[in-house]
Amino acid sequence: MSNNGTRRIRFDDLNLFVKQCYLAVGVPEDEAAIVADLLARSDLRGIESHGVMRLPIYIKRLEKDFVRKKCRFDITRRKGASAFVDAHGSMGHVVSYKAMQLAIELAEEHCIGWVSVKDSGHFGVTGLFPMMASEKDLVGYICSNSAPMMAPFGGRERIMGNNPMSYAFPAEKHDDVVVDFSCSVVASGRLILMRKKGEKIPLGWAVDKEGLPTEDPYEGYEGGGSLAPIGWHKGYGLAVAHEILAALLTGGKITRNIKSLYEEDPTGIQGTCHSFMAIDPDCFVGRDAFKNSLDEYILMLKSSGKAKGVEEIFFPGEIEARTQKQRLEKGILISEATCRELDSLAARLGLDIKYS
């Protein structure tokens, strides 16, 4: 254990532990491997709010049959470069992995691929899915709706999701540009993580159930509060657009009817909807030319004038890429609160977790 109450674990060891947890509750090996890699990779890139911190609730939902242990991925319509999928309440990680794969296949055939999904579940870090496309020199995009987390601009009732989105663009010499954010100032997972650590949140991140700004992470989300939208009316507008592209396009559940990941509901299905896109630059300027141009653009950004006190300008996704390289070498930091939950889960399932 380190001095600040964290522990380290190697990526491969964390990946293996997560996979064993899913296998222990009856998930097929190939699907357990998909979820394990995505969850462990979230912490590897420093996005702890959407990584193994969520593992206990994911496993609990599987044990209660709130989520399908084996993914059902029914392509109900397929026309040209598009496909429509019904996931029937399957695990969001596996559904999204398969949907992005399908979008990539469509893009390789048609220049662009668009896949929309209904009745899925929580899928963790949004940016990991468009990165599947950028790893193949394609441009990737995803948007989704979510359980209610925000009030509409000017309102006080929590009926909207923070509806995340992400783009990933392949570069030649630099790490890929990855733009990944939700329409709230921060994700709900950040508040949950800070509540577990006993920390306050900055004013402006959330409001309590009365609509008043709060520094209490519990009051700002789990206690009935609402996350604040980015850019106020602009974040609200983005959330509406994502809802239309994800839920209204598929005829799936709108945010107001989606079940929370932490909600005890015997009907099970969260009903999250997602849309995925992949674009092949070869149909435009060409893959090599696009990647080289992106390198030049990145250099322009990084070499531009810095504000007082700023040592380096980062492009989107650069900090996460650096964190990944560091943690592959030194191990992944896991908070003590999360370690206690993982240790309890391991004991309950009869498994071992190997810290560094």
Side-chain angles (χ1 to χ4, degrees):
M1 186 188 302
S2 66
N3 293 332
N4 62 357
T6 61
R7 285 191 253 179
R8 289 187 183 272
I9 184 170
R10 292 178 61 251
F11 171 72
D12 289 343
D13 291 332
L14 184 60
N15 196 327
L16 177 61
F17 171 70
V18 176
K19 180 180 176 181
Q20 289 174 332
C21 288
Y22 277 91
L23 289 174
V25 295
V27 174
E29 185 168 3
D30 58 336
E31 296 181 12
I34 289 171
V35 187
D37 185 71
L38 289 166
L39 280 178
R41 199 165 295 280
S42 302
D43 287 279
L44 185 68
R45 290 178 64 80
I47 313 172
E48 292 95 346
S49 60
H50 286 61
V52 296
M53 183 195 84
R54 307 272 185 149
L55 180 60
I57 188 62
Y58 289 148
I59 296 298
K60 180 180 179 181
R61 290 183 65 82
L62 284 164
E63 289 177 317
K64 288 180 173 287
D65 291 324
F66 289 175
V67 187
R68 288 182 178 274
K69 293 184 175 67
K70 180 175 175 56
C71 178
R72 185 172 170 187
F73 189 84
D74 289 345
I75 302 174
T76 60
R77 289 184 193 146
R78 183 165 179 167
K79 185 176 182 180
S82 67
F84 176 33
V85 175
D86 190 335
H88 300 281
S90 301
M91 289 182 290
H93 292 82
V94 178
V95 171
S96 299
Y97 180 89
K98 290 177 178 288
M100 195 72 237
Q101 274 191 326
L102 180 55
I104 290 168
E105 292 170 9
L106 290 169
E108 289 173 337
E109 180 180 357
H110 298 284
C111 174
I112 186 170
W114 183 282
V115 178
S116 287
V117 178
K118 75 171 185 176
D119 283 343
S120 180
H122 195 276
F123 59 33
V125 174
T126 313
L128 295 178
F129 301 106
M131 286 177 68
M132 292 170 59
S134 64
E135 288 168 0
K136 294 182 176 292
D137 292 340
L138 306 176
V139 173
Y141 168 78
I142 175 178
C143 69
S144 178
N145 65 359
S146 71
M149 298 180 186
M150 298 195 307
F153 183 66
R156 63 178 178 81
E157 186 180 355
R158 193 169 86 182
I159 59 170
M160 298 188 64
N162 63 354
N163 297 357
M165 59 163 285
S166 179
Y167 294 89
F169 304 94
E172 183 63 46
K173 296 179 181 178
H174 291 86
D175 292 306
D176 293 351
V177 172
V178 182
V179 180
D180 180 358
F181 64 91
S182 62
C183 295
S184 56
V185 176
V186 293
S188 61
R190 287 285 298 278
L191 273 68
I192 295 170
L193 184 62
M194 292 181 75
R195 187 261 300 164
K196 289 181 178 181
K197 291 181 177 180
E199 298 174 352
K200 291 183 177 181
I201 59 172
L203 285 174
W205 277 21
V207 296
D208 63 21
K209 60 185 177 183
E210 301 299 328
L212 299 175
T214 181
E215 293 180 304
D216 185 331
Y218 177 81
E219 293 297 331
Y221 180 62
E222 295 164 284
S226 176
L227 302 178
I230 54 171
W232 299 107
H233 61 287
K234 296 180 180 180
Y236 166 55
L238 271 177
V240 169
H242 296 174
E243 188 82 62
I244 294 168
L245 285 173
L248 275 66
L249 191 64
T250 63
K253 289 183 180 180
I254 61 171
T255 285
R256 189 171 194 170
N257 299 322
I258 292 175
K259 308 296 181 184
S260 166
L261 182 63
Y262 297 92
E263 186 175 350
E264 292 279 347
D265 191 298
T267 61
I269 293 178
Q270 280 187 276
T272 315
C273 304
H274 328 296
S275 284
F276 305 79
M277 180 176 66
I279 301 173
D280 189 348
D282 246 359
C283 300
F284 302 95
V285 70
R287 292 187 185 183
D288 291 340
F290 177 79
K291 292 165 65 179
N292 288 325
S293 294
L294 185 53
D295 278 336
E296 293 175 7
Y297 182 68
I298 289 170
L299 285 174
M300 181 194 74
L301 294 174
K302 294 187 67 63
S303 62
S304 63
K306 302 173 184 63
K308 185 177 180 179
V310 173
E311 295 183 0
E312 182 178 4
I313 293 172
F314 298 97
F315 61 85
E318 185 176 12
I319 292 174
E320 290 83 359
R322 288 189 185 183
T323 300
Q324 176 170 316
K325 291 171 185 175
Q326 293 168 355
R327 291 188 170 190
L328 276 174
E329 179 183 347
K330 298 180 180 180
I332 297 169
L333 289 170
I334 306 291
S335 74
E336 184 57 24
T338 299
C339 286
R340 286 195 297 269
E341 292 188 349
L342 295 182
D343 291 343
S344 176
L345 179 63
R348 186 165 64 78
L349 297 178
L351 301 171
D352 292 321
I353 181 167
K354 181 181 177 183
Y355 297 104
S356 300

